[in-house]
Amino acid sequence: MNVLLVAGARPNFMKIAPIYRASLRHGRVRCRIVHTGQHYDYGMSQTFFHELGIPSPHFSLEAGSGTHAVQTAKIMVAFEEVCRTARPDLVMVVGDVNSTLACSVVAKKMAVPVAHVEAGLRSFDTAMPEEINRMVTDAISDLFFVTEKSGVENLEKEGKRRDRIHLVGHVMVDNLLFQAGEILKRPAESFAGHALKQSAGPYLYLTLHRPSNVDDRETFQGIVEAVNELARARTVFFPVHPRTSLKMEQFHIRFHEGVPLLPPLGFSESLFLWKDAEAVLTDSGGLQEETTALGVPCVTIRDNTERPITVEVGTNVLAGTARESIIDAYRRSLAKRGTARVPDLWDGRASERIWENLLDAGVSHCA
Ligand code: UD1
């Protein structure tokens, strides 16, 4: 089985790493990695290939940044050529970024079956570009690998055949558990964040990059006020995404001195800091799940989540974006700590289940 595995932006790299590794255990699978180049800075891309043990991409499309239309179109044009020459039996896309949408559409129009990993998630908020990417990708995919039961329910409501939907758990958790084990093998002093941690006492960890949070001056300012309030009592480590950095400059945003601004962090440096945080404050999709997997309180700075299981059984609390609601959610997240549990099948074996499913069923039946 000749598979093209697509990744383009930071959260994708964590998802393809365990899928690729697991593919090597199956002699009948030839899995090759396509990097669309949606993210390209060392700290947003190559560092993950090094740390997560992913080989250099077999195909690099170098699409780069642009408006949604420009970026999506560049990826589509380049990926069409790759499909033409590589003649895959299956294209596997992960998550919900522009690369996911672009490559699934190209493959499907070339009559190549598409498997979507992390299928079925819905925020029901089409103001999020990711929601549009998820809906379009699922509308045309042939096989759906799902992380949580809400994804199965959404796909069934949308009329997908039950035998094409596989609840397999979460490849991101496969990667997390693997890397958490690797971290334990290294001395703490070998992490750049060690000294920060030592000097901080109990601390919080913040990530922020959603356009709806940082592209609007008033919303961004309200979030900053909440963070600055929390920073009076707790150090808040904040690795700053390039989008957020641009907006901070444009809006003259100032953080409290208790919020050390860090560059974007690689996977293990980031994990080294957030795994021991008192709570994580974030608008990332992946961190909502990763914190639930490790039982770390999580405050999600959004009005909705496409990952409801993290709120239902996990450590996640939805905070909205207003100053007071974020501070209140922080308090509620600490109270949740002892009561949360890890969702079913988030056990580090999702990637293996994906290949088992594919090899059992074969892909010819879904074209
Ligand atoms: C993208 C994804 C989002 C994901 C996020 C993770 C879409 C629609 N959005 O959002 O789902 O959560 O990645 O980071 O696919 N930039 C750099 N260097 C880079 C990449 C980007 O400086 O390597 C800057 C560029 O100025 C760019 C901006 O960041 O315009 C935004 O990047 P882009 O990939 O368009 O969107 P993200 O906000 O990163």
Side-chain angles (χ1 to χ4, degrees):
M1 189 190 299
N2 180 7
V3 178
L4 291 181
L5 177 60
V6 175
R10 188 166 61 173
N12 291 168
F13 307 133
M14 283 78 111
K15 294 169 194 165
I16 66 158
I19 298 176
Y20 182 78
R21 236 189 333 269
S23 78
L24 301 176
R25 291 195 282 273
H26 297 279
R28 286 158 59 202
V29 175
R30 181 187 188 209
C31 181
R32 286 178 292 174
I33 294 172
V34 179
H35 185 343
T36 67
Q38 177 173 346
H39 284 174
Y40 44 84
D41 285 348
Y42 181 82
M44 298 289 286
S45 173
Q46 290 96 318
T47 185
F48 293 96
F49 278 76
H50 294 156
E51 309 185 66
L52 303 182
I54 320 171
S56 297
H58 301 83
F59 303 95
S60 291
L61 310 187
E62 296 179 7
S65 296
T67 63
H68 284 266
V70 166
Q71 186 173 65
T72 307
K74 279 184 170 171
I75 297 169
M76 288 178 79
V77 171
F79 188 61
E80 188 175 50
E81 186 56 23
V82 171
C83 282
R84 213 178 51 74
T85 54
R87 305 174 65 82
D89 300 311
L90 177 82
V91 166
M92 191 180 289
V93 295
V94 298
D96 54 19
V97 301
N98 286 346
S99 304
T100 314
L101 168 120
C103 294
S104 58
V105 171
V106 168
K108 192 64 187 166
K109 288 202 166 184
M110 296 178 85
V112 178
V114 176
H116 184 201
V117 174
E118 208 182 48
L121 298 181
R122 296 289 180 269
S123 66
F124 305 102
D125 174 7
T126 49
M128 281 181 87
E130 292 81 0
E131 182 71 357
I132 300 168
N133 293 343
R134 290 179 204 116
M135 288 166 65
V136 173
T137 303
D138 284 339
I140 57 172
S141 287
D142 300 283
L143 285 166
F144 307 92
F145 294 110
V146 183
T147 54
E148 60 166 280
K149 65 178 182 356
S150 75
V152 174
E153 289 159 8
N154 293 331
L155 291 167
E156 283 182 330
K157 276 185 206 142
E158 290 170 19
K160 302 299 174 202
R161 275 174 47 179
R162 189 62 189 84
D163 62 339
R164 300 284 170 90
I165 305 171
H166 304 284
L167 183 63
V168 290
H170 206 337
V171 294
M172 196 152 197
V173 176
D174 295 4
N175 174 66
L176 174 68
L177 298 180
F178 180 80
Q179 294 297 334
E182 294 297 297
I183 276 191
L184 291 178
K185 295 179 192 160
R186 281 175 57 183
E189 300 75 33
S190 69
F191 290 89
H194 178 63
L196 294 175
K197 232 174 170 174
Q198 291 293 97
S199 60
Y203 63 87
L204 306 175
Y205 184 87
L206 169 70
T207 80
L208 209 56
H209 74 284
R210 293 268 156 233
S212 56
N213 281 345
V214 302
D215 287 5
D216 178 74
R217 182 196 295 263
E218 217 171 293
T219 308
F220 196 179
Q221 191 57 47
I223 295 169
V224 171
E225 281 171 23
V227 171
N228 284 347
E229 177 64 28
L230 296 174
R232 288 153 59 104
R234 294 277 184 268
T235 301
V236 184
F237 292 123
F238 181 27
V240 188
H241 186 281
R243 171 191 289 281
T244 311
S245 190
L246 287 173
K247 293 295 167 186
M248 281 170 63
E249 219 169 284
Q250 187 183 335
F251 299 151
H252 307 289
I253 296 282
R254 293 280 168 268
F255 278 95
H256 185 276
E257 60 187 12
V259 187
L261 303 182
L262 310 177
L265 298 179
F267 188 84
S268 46
E269 283 292 346
S270 166
L271 173 58
F272 179 75
L273 282 179
W274 72 252
K275 76 183 176 62
D276 296 316
E278 181 185 43
V280 169
L281 300 110
T282 190
D283 59 7
S284 144
L287 260 176
Q288 293 173 51
E289 298 171 322
E290 292 183 311
T291 46
T292 278
L294 293 194
V296 176
C298 180
V299 176
T300 294
I301 305 177
R302 283 174 49 187
D303 293 323
N304 53 47
T305 179
E306 59 287 335
R307 292 151 161 103
I309 194 110
T310 60
V311 176
E312 285 162 25
V313 309
T315 53
N316 194 13
V317 175
L318 273 186
T321 55
R323 182 182 182 282
E324 287 313 320
S325 67
I326 294 171
I327 293 168
D328 177 57
Y330 160 69
R331 296 199 184 103
R332 285 188 288 130
S333 79
L334 298 186
K336 226 183 167 190
R337 197 164 18 198
T339 62
R341 71 173 174 82
V342 176
D344 296 340
L345 300 176
W346 289 22
D347 58 0
R349 294 202 61 249
S351 308
E352 193 52 44
R353 290 187 193 100
I354 287 175
W355 290 117
E356 281 166 9
N357 268 301
L358 279 170
L359 289 167
D360 282 354
V363 291
S364 53
H365 74 289
C366 57

